[in-house]
């Protein structure tokens, strides 16, 4: 299996499952795939975070807002792997309850990853709504 194949398999399993869990109110799997090494950052559709403490607060807050995810799909548009760094760019199609209200929306999401101790970890995320 090539580095690219290994990375795509991780995106389609661990990353997908972590996002699905977050949208069902569980931040644990998302936190598990994020780097514990600085720097880490999120330029989010709803809120930004810089550093471990703000990241933990953000993920906890998002998990409290989301529930009842009926659909999550990551439409991968572009990606690359170069050594121990990688990125993805795509569209996240989500249907879930936000603060108890059912919603469907699409986010543009770009993420940067680092391979740490042989495992892929997210180091940065930028997400915004389509149509801005």
């Amino acid at each position: 299996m090539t580095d690219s194949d290994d990375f795509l398999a991780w995106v389609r399993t661990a990353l997908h499952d972590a996002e699905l869990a977050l949208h069902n109110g569980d931040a644990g799997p998302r936190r598990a795939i994020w780097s514990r090494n600085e720097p880490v950052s999120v330029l989010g559709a709803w809120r930004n975070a810089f550093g471990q403490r703000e990241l933990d607060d953000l993920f906890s807050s998002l998990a409290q807002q989301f529930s009842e995810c009926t659909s999550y799909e990551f439409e991968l548009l572009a990606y690359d792997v170069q050594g121990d760094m990688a990125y993805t760019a795509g569209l996240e199609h989500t249907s879930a309850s936000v603060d108890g209200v059912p919603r469907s929306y699409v986010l543009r999401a770009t993420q940067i990853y680092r391979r740490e101790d042989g495992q892929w970890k997210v180091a940065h995320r930028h997400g915004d709504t389509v149509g801005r």
Side-chain angles (χ1 to χ4, degrees), residues 16 72-78 88-93 106-107 109:
H16 176 272
Y72 172 81
E73 177 193 347
F74 180 53
E75 180 184 350
L76 183 64
L77 300 175
T88 56
L91 300 173
E92 295 177 337
H93 304 266
V106 178
L107 296 181

Side-chain angles (χ1 to χ4, degrees), residues 6-89:
D6 178 56
F7 176 70
L8 282 179
W10 180 84
V11 166
R12 292 180 178 136
T13 56
L15 179 65
H16 176 272
D17 293 350
E19 291 303 306
L20 187 59
L22 180 74
H23 289 93
N24 275 309
D26 181 4
R30 186 190 246 198
R31 192 62 188 107
I33 66 166
W34 271 74
S35 176
R36 285 290 183 178
N37 299 321
E38 298 291 353
V40 290
S41 53
V42 172
L43 297 174
W46 289 306
R47 190 171 138 197
N48 301 329
F50 302 94
Q52 299 296 330
R53 184 178 180 158
E54 288 185 17
L55 205 67
D56 287 338
D57 290 346
L58 172 62
F59 293 165
S60 294
S61 174
L62 289 173
Q64 290 174 5
Q65 288 181 280
F66 289 120
S67 64
E68 300 175 28
C69 183
T70 59
S71 177
Y72 172 81
E73 177 193 347
F74 180 53
E75 180 184 350
L76 183 64
L77 300 175
Y79 77 97
D80 196 15
V81 178
Q82 294 292 321
D84 289 336
M85 299 290 293
Y87 85 93
T88 56

